[in-house]
């Protein structure tokens, strides 16, 4: 399909979106704050602009008379980008501000689930003072998670027993949130802590259709063996059967049901959600729980599924944005592994402005696809920022093969970079299967 498409965002997820749009014939116009070499190469025109500068982005869109827009990151949507574009007559893949609250307010998401009796909701308390917080800590018997209400770039959630060592830590963090309004609110959520294995289900959504992409597992912790601070995501994998080895068919069906019911609840609230809906789930002893919803694709999870999509992605996006029905998209029956190369010190004290070199032909010859993330190209050279640099993704017949391909390809990227090598390795996946078996107290299928 031929269409002029505005793409907002300059990370690895957006490079993967750009590649899928380009493959299906879109003429790309890219608005991003960094000079992502992968997107720049695919686009007809680029505007370097902060993604939250709604006027700047809209001006660019109208100047080039784009047919529709695809928004990669959440902040512009939470700030009303889709509303601003719609005022200019430009439909958007990405919900209006009212729908973006599903990610922008963790309280809105939990209340929606509670009010519509959507399965998978966890027990939670909204608290606005230290006294209330302490009471909630007690009610959950010290087994809880603290969440700021609004956006924190994925770094606001703290889990008791992991990031928080004791009740004093928890009280201190609650005080910080209240005093510094972390997450744009002086309220916070205290939730019951769920034990289980996390997985991601990404859906394509509008008021006429809801369709799904293969399940993916992300790795949020910085270091091998799932240790260290949480990050945006160090890498991810998906399996050739589109499910994950520790997930049952029933879990998968339940996750889909939760997404369907959530979209239906949004519709009943008068919110016609048009965009990607990302469900972060936890498979737990008593079924599937929702950790959070995002109003966008995941990063890195977008790289896994968009590397495999064989349907016309431009047509799919056009349909989502215009409220037209669409069929289940097709994906190549392959496994994928994605490993992110990040600047040394990422998540702690990242080394920005360091030159890196990427031998793309070498990566491709290893059976992988390179996606550039938050790097800058200046005069043909590529420099790191404080965020993730390059994603290397392999589609292959099995996760093991994909993982080996990625490891081979990594030697084609040079610079002061760090990688979690354990992602996609059988040893780590086996641990997840064992963990789930212990939690369920029986064999998984
Ligand atoms: P989020 O930013 O909401 O994705 O949360 C970051 C991480 O905190 C998740 O990936 C989980 O590992 C953990 N987490 C969030 N909510 C819970 C919960 N209710 N129980 C256990 N872990 C949680
Ligand atoms: N990979 C986690 C996220 O995109 O939120």
């Amino acid at each position: 399909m031929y269409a002029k498409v505005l793409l907002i965002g300059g990370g690895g997820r957006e490079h993967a979106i750009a590649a899928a749009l380009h493959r299906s014939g879109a003429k790309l116009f890219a608005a991003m704050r960094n000079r992502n070499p992968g997107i720049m190469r695919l686009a007809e025109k680029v505007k370097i602009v902060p993604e939250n500068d709604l006027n700047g982005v809209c001006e660019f869109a109208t100047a080039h008379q784009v047919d529709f827009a695809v928004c990669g990151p959440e902040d512009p949507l939470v700030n009303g980008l889709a509303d601003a574009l719609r005022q200019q007559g430009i439909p958007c893949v990405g919900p209006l501000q009212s729908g973006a609250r599903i990610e922008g307010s963790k309280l809105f998401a939990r209340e929606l689930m509670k009010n519509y009796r959507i399965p998978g909701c966890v027990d939670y308390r909204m608290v606005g003072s230290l006294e209330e917080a302490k009471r909630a800590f007690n009610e959950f018997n010290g087994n809880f998670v603290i969440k700021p209400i609004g956006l924190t770039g994925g770094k606001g959630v703290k889990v008791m027993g992991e990031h928080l060592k004791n009740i004093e830590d928890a009280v201190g963090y609650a005080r910080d949130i209240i005093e510094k309004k972390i997450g744009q609110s002086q309220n916070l959520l205290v939730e019951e802590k769920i034990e289980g294995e996390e997985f991601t289900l990404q859906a394509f959504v509008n008021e006429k259709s809801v369709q799904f992409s293969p399940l993916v597992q992300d790795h949020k912790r910085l270091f091998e063996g799932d240790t260290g601070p949480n990050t945006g995501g160090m890498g991810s994998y998906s399996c050739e059967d589109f499910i994950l080895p520790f997930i049952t068919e029933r879990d998968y069906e339940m996750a889909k049901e939760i997404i369907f019911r959530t979209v239906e609840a949004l519709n009943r609230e008068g919110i016609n959600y048009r965009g990607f809906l990302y469900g972060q789930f936890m498979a737990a002893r008593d079924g599937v729980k929702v950790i959070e919803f995002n109003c966008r694709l995941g990063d890195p999870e977008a790289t896994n599924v968009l590397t495999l999509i064989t349907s016309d992605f431009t047509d799919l996006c056009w349909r989502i944005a215009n409220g037209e029905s669409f069929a289940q998209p097709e994906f190549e029956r392959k496994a994928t592994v994605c490993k992110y190369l990040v600047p040394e010190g990422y998540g702690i004290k990242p080394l920005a402005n360091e030159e890196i070199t990427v031998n793309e032909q070498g990566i491709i010859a290893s059976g992988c696809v390179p996606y550039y993330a938050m790097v800058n190209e200046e005069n043909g050279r590529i420099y790191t920022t404080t965020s993730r640099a390059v994603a290397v993704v392999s589609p292959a017949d099995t996760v093991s093969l994909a993982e080996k391909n990625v490891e081979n390809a990594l030697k084609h990227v040079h610079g002061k970079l760090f990688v979690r090598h354990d992602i996609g390795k059988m040893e780590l996946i086996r641990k997840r299967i064992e963990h789930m078996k212990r939690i369920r107290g029986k064999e998984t299928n």
Side-chain angles (χ1 to χ4, degrees):
M1 178 187 168
Y2 171 82
K4 286 163 93 174
V5 185
L6 170 72
L7 172 65
I8 298 107
R13 164 184 51 211
E14 288 77 20
H15 187 185
I17 294 174
L21 287 168
H22 188 262
R23 274 203 308 275
S24 47
K27 222 171 161 184
L28 279 175
F29 295 81
M32 57 186 161
R33 64 177 193 274
N34 57 313
R35 300 174 58 81
N36 180 313
I39 298 174
M40 281 173 29
R41 199 182 311 144
L42 296 174
E44 305 276 319
K45 266 248 150 61
V46 172
K47 179 169 181 173
I48 303 299
V49 59
E51 289 105 14
N52 275 324
D53 175 355
L54 306 190
N55 285 334
V57 174
C58 285
E59 266 170 34
F60 181 57
T62 48
H64 295 287
Q65 298 185 313
V66 298
D67 296 304
F68 66 94
V70 180
C71 184
E74 65 279 11
D75 319 33
L77 296 169
V78 171
N79 289 325
L81 178 64
D83 308 66
L85 287 166
R86 185 178 278 195
Q87 272 172 16
Q88 307 291 330
I90 300 168
C92 183
V93 178
L96 300 175
Q97 208 166 19
S98 53
R101 277 185 299 166
I102 195 93
E103 174 165 4
S105 166
K106 290 191 193 286
L107 181 62
F108 171 79
R110 286 293 182 219
E111 285 186 334
L112 188 80
M113 292 189 76
K114 193 167 153 194
N115 293 342
Y116 287 87
R117 295 198 171 81
I118 297 170
C121 193
V122 303
D123 199 5
Y124 68 92
R125 306 276 181 277
M126 202 273 286
V127 305
S129 72
L130 268 191
E131 288 320 303
E132 286 173 358
K134 285 182 198 162
R135 211 174 307 137
F137 298 163
N138 260 331
E139 284 180 70
F140 289 116
N141 285 326
N143 216 17
F144 59 83
V145 175
I146 297 182
K147 300 189 172 183
I149 305 265
L151 296 184
T152 55
K155 283 144 203 129
V157 174
K158 297 215 192 277
V159 179
M160 187 64 179
E162 293 177 32
H163 316 91
L164 305 167
K165 295 287 168 243
N166 50 41
I167 292 288
E168 285 76 58
D169 279 1
V171 171
Y173 187 49
R175 182 181 295 121
D176 271 1
I177 295 176
I178 292 167
E179 284 175 1
K180 298 183 193 151
K181 291 198 175 177
I182 298 174
Q184 308 90 50
S185 167
Q186 58 196 16
N187 296 322
L188 56 127
L189 286 185
V190 182
E191 284 187 2
E192 74 175 296
K193 177 179 163 183
I194 307 295
E195 206 203 336
E197 276 296 329
E198 285 181 70
F199 64 96
T200 302
L201 177 57
Q202 303 171 98
F204 308 101
V205 172
N206 67 18
E207 62 273 34
K208 297 242 179 76
S209 306
V210 177
Q211 306 287 0
F212 298 94
S213 51
L215 293 184
V216 184
Q217 190 174 41
D218 182 22
H219 299 69
K220 284 214 169 81
R221 297 301 196 98
L222 179 57
F223 300 126
E224 298 193 358
D226 294 323
T227 55
N230 272 340
T231 68
M234 296 297 292
S236 46
Y237 66 93
S238 67
C239 299
E240 61 278 15
D241 60 0
F242 300 168
I243 307 189
L244 291 161
F246 49 87
I247 294 298
T248 62
E249 277 286 346
R250 208 158 140 242
D251 294 332
Y252 187 30
E253 289 308 316
M254 182 51 73
K256 286 185 185 170
E257 170 75 11
I258 290 170
I259 298 263
F260 280 127
R261 298 269 299 268
T262 302
V263 175
E264 190 182 65
L266 287 167
N267 279 328
R268 291 235 209 113
E269 291 285 306
I271 297 168
N272 282 349
Y273 189 103
R274 294 179 179 174
F276 307 117
L277 182 58
Y278 167 121
Q280 181 73 42
F281 294 97
M282 184 94 87
R285 176 190 281 278
D286 55 343
V288 167
K289 305 286 178 186
V290 174
I291 296 297
E292 65 169 354
F293 290 113
N294 293 326
C295 61
R296 52 172 171 84
L297 291 176
D299 192 352
E301 293 97 321
T303 70
N304 300 86
V305 302
L306 294 182
T307 300
L308 296 182
I309 196 163
T310 52
S311 305
D312 185 326
F313 187 60
T314 302
D315 180 60
L316 174 64
C317 288
W318 183 87
R319 285 173 180 278
I320 294 171
N322 285 287
E324 300 284 339
S325 63
F326 50 88
Q328 169 61 45
E330 308 258 326
F331 296 88
E332 214 179 337
R333 281 256 155 206
K334 291 208 159 171
T336 60
V337 170
C338 166
K339 299 196 196 197
Y340 251 121
L341 292 123
V342 303
E344 276 180 18
Y346 172 66
I348 302 167
K349 200 165 175 277
L351 278 184
N353 299 315
E354 292 286 337
E355 188 179 347
I356 62 168
T357 57
V358 181
N359 170 1
E360 291 183 26
Q361 288 317 315
I363 294 173
I364 293 163
S366 309
C368 297
V369 185
Y371 293 114
Y372 290 95
M374 293 306 288
V375 290
N376 280 305
E377 186 176 54
E378 310 279 352
N379 302 319
R381 291 165 186 261
I382 300 167
Y383 297 91
T384 58
T385 64
T386 56
S387 295
R388 296 170 289 187
V390 181
V392 175
V393 182
S394 172
D397 289 341
T398 63
V399 174
S400 288
L401 282 174
E403 196 276 333
K404 288 193 183 80
N405 289 343
V406 172
E407 282 296 320
N408 282 331
L410 289 176
K411 62 174 182 281
H412 298 293
V413 186
H414 293 281
K416 291 185 177 157
L417 296 163
F418 171 79
V419 184
R420 249 188 84 169
H421 291 285
D422 62 345
I423 293 167
K425 285 215 159 77
M426 272 309 129
E427 196 187 333
L428 187 61
I429 295 175
R430 237 177 268 127
K431 264 200 214 159
R432 306 247 143 103
I433 298 171
E434 291 304 318
H435 181 215
M436 213 52 235
K437 268 189 198 165
R438 275 202 308 280
I439 287 173
R440 291 196 166 110
K442 62 177 168 62
E443 301 264 316
T444 51
N445 68 359

